[in-house]
Amino acid sequence: MKEVVILLGIQGSGKGTQAKFICEKFGYKQISTGNLLRQEEALGSELGKEIAALIDKGNLVSDELVLEILKKEIKNGKENGFVLDGFPRTLKQAEMLDECVNELGIKIKKVVLIELDENSVLDRIRNRVSCSKCGAVYNLKSCKPKKDGVCDVCGAKLDIRVDDKKIESIQERIGIFKKNIDGIVSFYMKKSLIFFVDGLKDVSIISQEIIKALNSNNKL
Ligand code: AMP
């Protein structure tokens, strides 16, 4: 059975960075639903255009569509585990994922919530750039690319995300996160799966805390 680690956190909390770290450490595959949706958007299909309109405004794409995209990615994955970065974003998504664990042959190993206050979010988003090709994320203050404007991983150009350029979109996403997170946390708390880390701590300390939690077989 393949293991799944779920990373929860408000935008800019460092989910992408920590997801990469966990994947390197455990040989898992990172699944960022945001990146998958942006890939669909880049195809320019009718569906891609609908997705683009929602992402630009900071709204959520439908639970059913995101789950479908996620399931496809899990089914195609050859790795022995996955880190979900950006899923679930609603209680319904958490419930839907739970309903298909057997079909997908997966087990949710742990859920990590990286906690970050709203004021820090704006500062992080202002300094966030990401790769237009592979989706790797950088912070111009705390996690700079080796060469300005160029992705360390694949060498493509770094850009500011369209939805990070609009304050209305950022605020919409913060509102949606705050509305949904308590329901998701309670869901995983009842299953004793959730672990909390302080997103203001140094990136490497957060990584260490997450690895420690993942290596422990204790219920939380
Ligand atoms: P992210 O890259 O995780 O910040 O996601 C960018 C955008 O993609 C979000 O603001 C949503 O519009 C959409 N998105 C990503 N993941 C989900 C999800 N699990 N459910 C619904 N929409 C999502």
Side-chain angles (χ1 to χ4, degrees):
M1 200 166 269
K2 298 191 177 199
E3 294 185 325
V4 167
V5 174
I6 293 177
L7 280 185
L8 301 172
I10 199 164
Q11 54 186 318
S13 57
K15 294 190 297 293
T17 307
Q18 296 301 338
K20 278 207 169 50
F21 182 78
I22 300 169
C23 288
E24 277 165 24
K25 191 95 189 158
F26 293 94
Y28 292 168
K29 178 181 187 184
Q30 177 182 2
I31 302 184
S32 154
T33 44
N35 284 351
L36 293 174
L37 292 166
R38 279 184 287 273
Q39 279 165 21
E40 187 67 47
E41 181 185 330
L43 296 177
S45 60
E46 276 312 307
L47 178 63
K49 285 180 196 154
E50 280 172 37
I51 291 173
L54 291 166
I55 292 184
D56 285 2
K57 289 199 193 89
N59 293 329
L60 292 184
V61 173
S62 81
D63 295 328
E64 290 73 17
L65 174 64
V66 181
L67 184 76
E68 198 183 306
I69 291 177
L70 176 77
K71 280 170 77 173
K72 206 162 115 195
E73 198 68 11
I74 291 180
K75 283 180 182 164
N76 289 336
K78 303 276 175 284
E79 294 77 359
N80 56 356
F82 304 95
V83 178
L84 306 191
D85 158 13
F87 187 99
R89 268 187 156 86
T90 62
L91 174 59
K92 170 114 182 279
Q93 290 181 10
E95 290 168 345
M96 285 162 86
L97 179 65
D98 232 51
E99 280 160 21
C100 59
V101 287
N102 290 339
E103 174 197 338
L104 295 170
I106 56 170
K107 172 180 176 282
I108 299 178
K109 182 179 166 74
K110 256 167 207 151
V111 179
V112 179
L113 172 61
I114 308 178
E115 297 183 286
L116 189 70
D117 63 282
E118 222 173 287
N119 292 336
S120 308
V121 169
L122 292 176
D123 186 50
R124 300 257 183 115
I125 299 285
R126 271 190 211 111
N127 288 294
R128 177 158 79 174
V129 287
S130 55
C131 177
S132 47
K133 196 169 159 210
C134 76
V137 183
Y138 301 85
N139 182 293
L140 297 178
K141 270 192 196 162
S142 59
C143 179
K144 289 185 188 173
K146 291 192 184 97
K147 195 171 162 205
D148 278 355
V150 179
C151 178
D152 292 353
V153 182
C154 73
K157 188 171 158 278
L158 297 178
D159 279 329
I160 299 175
R161 274 169 43 174
V162 182
D163 53 341
D164 282 353
K165 289 182 188 162
K166 296 182 196 149
I167 187 71
E168 302 80 23
S169 164
I170 298 172
Q171 275 162 349
E172 180 70 17
R173 282 180 281 155
I174 292 176
I176 291 175
F177 177 84
K178 283 166 58 178
K179 187 174 127 214
N180 288 290
I181 192 63
D182 290 350
I184 301 173
V185 167
S186 313
F187 181 80
Y188 289 120
M189 238 178 193
K190 283 187 202 126
K191 296 176 181 290
S192 303
L193 281 174
I194 197 157
F195 170 75
F196 299 85
V197 287
D198 176 358
L200 280 178
K201 285 188 181 166
D202 194 77
V203 177
S204 59
I205 307 266
I206 297 177
S207 305
Q208 282 168 27
E209 290 184 6
I210 293 178
I211 297 301
K212 202 168 150 204
L214 296 184
N215 278 332
S216 126
N217 287 323
N218 297 340
K219 283 265 182 185
L220 300 163

